[in-house]
Amino acid sequence: MVALARKTLVHEWRRFLPAILAVGFAGLLQLLQAALVLGIFSSASIYVTGSAADLWVGYPGTQSVSLGRSIDPNVEGRLLMDPAVERVEPFLWVDADWRGQSGTGGESVYVSGVDPRPDGLVFARVLPPALRMRLREPDAVIVDQADMDKLGVRVGDSATINSYRVRVVGASSGLRALGGVNVVASLDTARVLDTDPADRDRPTYLVARLHDPAAADAVARRISGARGFDRYEVWTASAFARRSVLYWMLDTGAGAGVLFLAGVVFVVGAIITSQTLVAAVAGSVREYATLNALGVGMRALRWVVLEQATWVGVCGLLCASVFGAALLALARGQDVPVVLDVPVALACAVLTMGLTTVSGLAAIRSLRHADPASLLR
Amino acid sequence: MMPTTSATRVTLRAEDIGKAFMSGKVRTPVLDGLSLSVRAGELTLISGPSGCGKSTLLAILSGLQRVDTGRVFALDQRLDDLDPRALERFRLLHTGFVFQGFNLFPALTAREQVELPLHYLGVPRREARERAARSLEEVGLAHRMALRPAELSGGEKQRVAIARALSKEPALLFADEPTSALDAASGQIVIDMLHRIARVHGTTVLCVSHDPRLIGHADRVLSMEDGRILNDRRETTPGVPTEGLVP
Ligand SMILES: Nc1ncnc2c1ncn2[C@@H]1O[C@H](COP(=O)(O)OP(=O)(O)OP(=O)(O)O)[C@@H](O)[C@H]1O
Ligand SMILES: [Mg+2]
């Protein structure tokens, strides 16, 4: 087969350049906004993604980690009964009020009560074992380096949480929260800080590690199905993390913003691309008409135009990938929160190819000018 | 090659055809009650003044345009009642075209221009390449096969267009003003080439032109005026050798 579409694209690249740039730019915008939004909202799931647990067990219907309610501690026994479960650990979430030393106004903080053992599951990926061990001291808390100024403390200072005196024993990094400040304490300290009588001796979550992390989906389904004690729900870590991020995106309207911008980028990209493709088809309309005179069907000619659109899309995507990778690397270097996973990158690629297909379909319409009778004058 | 005995066979026939164009509310008749037969193995030239309906007649006989009235037969098949898809199929199998403009894809080499329609005809890739090379040789462009239109002269471009039509091995070859964009010498080469194709391959070649210089090169000349054929003349001394196409 003579690769008419591809050869024309290479030979007349100047003509197609605007379309390739439009597609590439549209793809790049989609990619960057997705990475930025995911980066910002991924901190909503830092509790899950920063931990080494495979399963999360919490109050049924919990939409986000920050919205947990206490559950029956006896669920722990139920979890341990399952042969796939290796270890279970409680996690306590306390919404609290922080007052610094200078006696300034309060800050609302999220206190995470974690097991202070060096091999504890929660925040295993965020807190180094040595730092974590310091939580064993009575009334010890850890705050993030980036929140120190906001809270008005340094390591070694003391402050009050819910009128209870605590001491800052260390600084973490990468533990910033959405809409508040994270404070980490031991389970014992956190229990003391929790003023809600309904939470007495009840954990907010139980997290579990499995012998085989790959079995998480099946085990989660199995344990969820057999409810004997109190009401609870089981999620795999990845499902619970996704749930938390999604909740924040929808709750803050960021999700709608992303979709709106994606729509605008799609439409603008499709308009520019289709105009370029229409011009390209118009430029070759006499040649197409000649092929039709020779008996090459209109249907085959439409495929040529669509193939051309696809090549434009592929070239545009390549540009977007190269620039996108460079920009994301740059952003990471500057501590800009960007997160991109394979499904989201694929979704951006599919959207971009959809844009070029729509443009190709629009350009096909200008083939109707390829009337071979018009060549006879 | 096909013997000249087929020169007697009628391959194109128009019976009492009429065609008119509407421009606004005004109906302009272009062809009115025209009948005509064209034979295989010879070059038939339709000549006449500008606007007399030559191109319209060619478009109708080649299945590019429909008649308003009358009947059209090509290779014993009625064209006027075929649907557009069937007409496309008929053209794919049986017709070649050479137009005033060369209409070559700027991105393709001469050989690829010729190969392209063959693929749609279902010719396997290797055979298509060979047939394309053979056709280009036949029009004397063996040494120009790898060049793109921008690197070819006008006459060479028209010869590529002829090779593109020829490689399909069509029974019917239509040419509309094939020489009018060319200088005298190149036009001469092109018309002789069309003449030889008729002789060598037994092809029905129908050529339309207002250029009187072509008259001496045709086997048969139909003079047209105002949508009618006024004169049907057979040239008795064609004097064109039947061997090889290259002068
Ligand atoms: N698509 C069309 N719509 C309206 N009128 C048309 C159309 N095609 C041709 N005509 C008219 O039909 C008449 C014959 O046109 P045609 O192209 O057949 O002439 P011609 O003999 O080929 O002329 P020339 O030698 O200049 O090429 C002209 O008057 C032209 O204006
Ligand atoms: Mg004409």
Side-chain angles (χ1 to χ4, degrees):
Chain A
M1 193 68 200
V2 176
L4 177 59
R6 186 164 47 82
K7 291 203 161 140
T8 303
L9 192 73
V10 171
H11 190 257
E12 294 168 45
W13 62 272
R14 267 169 245 269
R15 184 201 280 280
F16 290 97
L17 195 60
I20 293 174
L21 290 182
V23 170
F25 198 60
L28 192 63
L29 276 180
Q30 313 270 27
L31 206 73
L32 288 185
Q33 74 150 344
L36 271 175
V37 168
L38 281 180
I40 290 165
F41 288 98
S42 65
S43 52
S45 65
I46 181 68
Y47 318 96
V48 184
T49 52
S51 300
D54 299 312
L55 293 184
W56 281 68
V57 183
Y59 195 82
T62 302
Q63 293 294 320
S64 166
V65 183
S66 57
L67 300 174
R69 292 171 60 178
S70 60
I71 59 171
D72 184 348
N74 298 323
V75 173
E76 181 169 357
R78 163 72 190 93
L79 295 176
L80 286 171
M81 263 157 53
D82 193 291
V85 173
E86 185 193 322
R87 252 176 69 193
V88 179
E89 194 181 292
F91 174 57
L92 205 63
W93 177 283
V94 185
D95 287 324
D97 186 48
W98 169 286
R99 279 175 200 279
Q101 269 186 325
S102 45
T104 46
E107 278 284 342
S108 80
V109 293
Y110 309 136
V111 180
S112 295
V114 305
D115 193 328
R117 283 190 307 181
D119 61 344
L121 295 177
V122 178
F123 288 144
R125 298 197 181 108
V126 187
L127 299 179
L131 182 59
R132 188 181 193 99
M133 296 258 276
R134 272 186 240 160
L135 288 176
R136 289 182 166 177
E137 298 166 25
D139 311 329
V141 296
I142 294 172
V143 297
D144 198 82
Q145 191 67 55
D147 291 325
M148 286 285 185
D149 286 339
K150 199 169 171 186
L151 296 178
V153 285
R154 291 276 162 267
V155 174
D157 290 352
S158 38
T160 58
I161 297 180
N162 285 355
S163 312
Y164 184 86
R165 197 164 188 80
V166 293
R167 211 157 37 82
V168 179
V169 295
S172 63
S173 70
L175 247 188
R176 303 194 68 172
L178 268 180
V181 175
N182 279 324
V183 174
V184 188
S186 68
L187 281 165
D188 291 334
T189 308
R191 278 195 194 103
V192 177
L193 297 177
D194 195 348
T195 49
D196 189 344
D199 291 349
R200 186 168 300 279
D201 294 329
R202 287 161 67 93
T204 319
Y205 298 97
L206 288 167
V207 304
R209 192 164 69 188
L210 304 180
H211 293 294
D212 175 16
D217 274 318
V219 179
R221 245 176 288 125
R222 186 162 69 215
I223 300 178
S224 270
R227 287 179 186 166
F229 305 83
D230 201 353
R231 298 183 60 216
Y232 64 91
E233 189 171 347
V234 187
W235 305 275
T236 62
S238 58
F240 197 44
R242 193 163 50 239
R243 201 175 163 92
S244 300
V245 171
L246 267 180
Y247 171 80
W248 274 91
M249 281 181 65
L250 300 179
D251 190 57
T252 56
V258 166
L259 289 183
F260 176 75
L261 191 57
V264 170
V265 168
F266 190 98
V267 169
V268 173
I271 289 172
I272 298 175
T273 309
S274 64
Q275 285 309 306
T276 308
L277 287 174
V278 163
V281 172
S284 297
V285 77
R286 297 180 69 82
E287 286 75 34
Y288 285 128
T290 305
L291 283 185
N292 186 243
L294 290 170
V296 177
M298 270 297 161
R299 194 209 284 253
L301 296 180
R302 289 190 191 110
W303 272 114
V304 173
V305 175
L306 266 191
E307 194 192 329
Q308 212 153 50
T310 307
W311 281 115
V312 165
V314 168
C315 293
L317 267 187
L318 276 181
C319 294
S321 308
V322 170
F323 278 96
L327 285 175
L328 288 183
L330 188 72
R332 288 219 175 90
Q334 305 292 313
D335 273 335
V336 178
V338 284
V339 169
L340 195 65
D341 53 13
V342 174
V344 172
L346 272 183
C348 290
V350 167
L351 209 63
T352 309
M353 286 314 285
L355 178 164
T356 51
T357 308
V358 167
S359 310
L361 290 174
I364 274 179
R365 295 189 47 223
S366 49
L367 267 182
R368 68 179 186 279
H369 299 300
D371 174 16
S374 70
L375 298 173
L376 302 169
R377 275 294 124 90
Chain B
M1 292 289 129
M2 199 161 298
T4 44
T5 48
S6 64
T8 50
R9 194 161 81 94
V10 170
T11 44
L12 282 173
R13 199 150 44 102
E15 286 180 3
D16 200 21
I17 56 170
K19 177 80 182 171
F21 288 106
M22 300 295 295
S23 44
K25 281 179 187 164
V26 188
R27 185 172 175 279
T28 321
V30 178
L31 304 176
D32 193 11
L34 185 147
S35 296
L36 151 94
S37 300
V38 182
R39 291 169 189 281
E42 57 183 24
L43 170 58
T44 305
L45 179 72
I46 300 178
S47 92
S50 183
C52 70
K54 306 182 296 291
S55 295
T56 306
L57 179 59
L58 184 94
I60 286 170
L61 291 174
S62 60
L64 292 178
Q65 241 171 39
R66 295 185 169 281
V67 283
D68 295 338
T69 57
R71 288 182 299 174
V72 181
F73 295 87
L75 304 174
D76 300 323
Q77 185 163 1
R78 251 189 96 161
L79 289 190
D80 48 297
D81 57 4
L82 289 183
D83 64 60
R85 291 284 290 281
L87 268 180
E88 264 173 8
R89 180 88 194 137
F90 178 85
R91 295 204 303 267
L92 182 64
L93 294 176
H94 304 298
T95 69
F97 284 91
V98 178
F99 299 109
Q100 175 181 349
F102 320 119
N103 306 328
L104 302 175
F105 287 99
L108 302 186
T109 64
R111 186 174 193 160
E112 288 163 344
Q113 312 272 2
V114 181
E115 250 182 279
L116 189 58
L118 296 182
H119 291 298
Y120 292 101
L121 203 55
V123 178
R125 193 191 161 83
R126 277 209 24 206
E127 196 191 325
R129 280 183 67 80
E130 281 161 18
R131 262 165 79 168
R134 228 182 305 138
S135 295
L136 283 165
E137 262 166 45
E138 202 168 339
V139 298
L141 288 179
H143 57 301
R144 292 277 191 272
M145 272 196 280
L147 299 188
R148 297 202 166 76
E151 301 155 324
L152 296 170
S153 74
E156 286 170 335
K157 278 189 253 197
Q158 193 60 302
R159 277 145 74 187
V160 173
I162 293 174
R164 171 167 68 182
L166 186 61
S167 67
K168 288 174 71 199
E169 296 169 4
L172 311 169
L173 181 57
F174 298 92
D176 184 58
E177 311 278 3
T179 59
S180 62
L182 303 176
D183 61 88
S186 301
Q188 192 89 183
I189 292 172
V190 162
I191 193 71
D192 282 342
M193 205 163 268
L194 292 174
H195 198 174
R196 284 192 188 90
I197 287 169
R199 292 301 184 85
V200 173
H201 297 277
T203 309
T204 308
V205 181
L206 183 63
C207 180
V208 148
S209 182
H210 64 262
D211 185 350
R213 287 174 302 181
L214 300 187
I215 290 173
H217 297 266
D219 295 307
R220 181 182 169 203
V221 179
L222 301 170
S223 306
M224 212 175 148
E225 214 162 295
D226 279 340
R228 306 165 183 280
I229 290 167
L230 296 183
N231 194 340
D232 183 348
R233 229 157 1 103
R234 202 162 269 284
E235 304 287 313
T236 42
T237 51
V240 179
T242 53
E243 304 85 44
L245 281 175
V246 188

